[in-house]
Amino acid sequence: MERREAVTGEDPGPLIRLFGLTGGRARPQGESFDLVAIVRTVSGSYEPADLIPEHRAVLSLCRRPTPVADVAAHLALPLNITRVILGDLRREGFITIERPRPATQTIDERIYREVLHGLRSL
């Protein structure tokens, strides 16, 4: 039987590895999240030996709040694969994924007064 690389001229190794990382899933389970969602490691107990290297890398990186896009860049994995990995870690309770807080659309009147007072004192 011919190997796939003989037919396509490409080594299927990376594709098989990505398939293995996600169990063939293309989408994360649970609530969806976007590129700017913030990932944080939940402090708790987990056995690093029980985790795959990508999971350990996410847990280490996300000790500080980190956007999903930065996690994908750090892992050097496609975004959809990163989302599946993050979804699995969230399901296991190892991380939280939060939507970013919207920027305040109105400026407090107190701030306007302080700026005006500062300008007048110049």
Side-chain angles (χ1 to χ4, degrees):
M1 181 172 186
E2 277 186 290
R3 290 182 50 166
R4 181 168 170 80
E5 65 184 10
V7 175
T8 64
E10 296 178 21
D11 176 16
L15 295 177
I16 291 172
R17 179 178 170 274
L18 294 177
F19 183 87
L21 284 175
T22 64
R25 294 171 290 139
R27 296 189 179 137
Q29 297 175 345
E31 184 181 342
S32 64
F33 49 90
D34 59 17
L35 289 172
V36 295
I38 303 300
V39 182
R40 288 188 179 106
T41 299
V42 173
S43 58
S45 61
Y46 58 89
E47 255 333 290
D50 295 339
L51 302 174
I52 63 173
E54 289 78 9
H55 288 172
R56 289 192 303 266
V58 169
L59 294 175
S60 176
L61 176 67
C62 296
R63 288 183 187 139
R64 301 182 84 191
T66 308
V68 170
D70 290 353
V71 174
H74 179 78
L75 295 176
L77 291 173
L79 185 59
N80 63 327
I81 302 298
T82 301
R83 282 183 170 150
V84 171
I85 289 171
L86 293 175
D88 291 348
L89 288 169
R90 177 179 59 185
R91 187 182 71 243
E92 295 297 323
F94 294 143
I95 62 169
T96 60
I97 303 172
E98 302 169 359
R99 292 184 179 154
R101 294 190 177 122
T104 308
Q105 302 216 351
T106 59
I107 297 177
D108 187 7
E109 185 178 331
R110 179 183 54 82
I111 294 173
Y112 281 128
R113 290 178 195 265
E114 288 176 11
V115 169
L116 184 58
H117 178 71
L119 290 174
R120 286 183 180 156
S121 67
L122 292 176

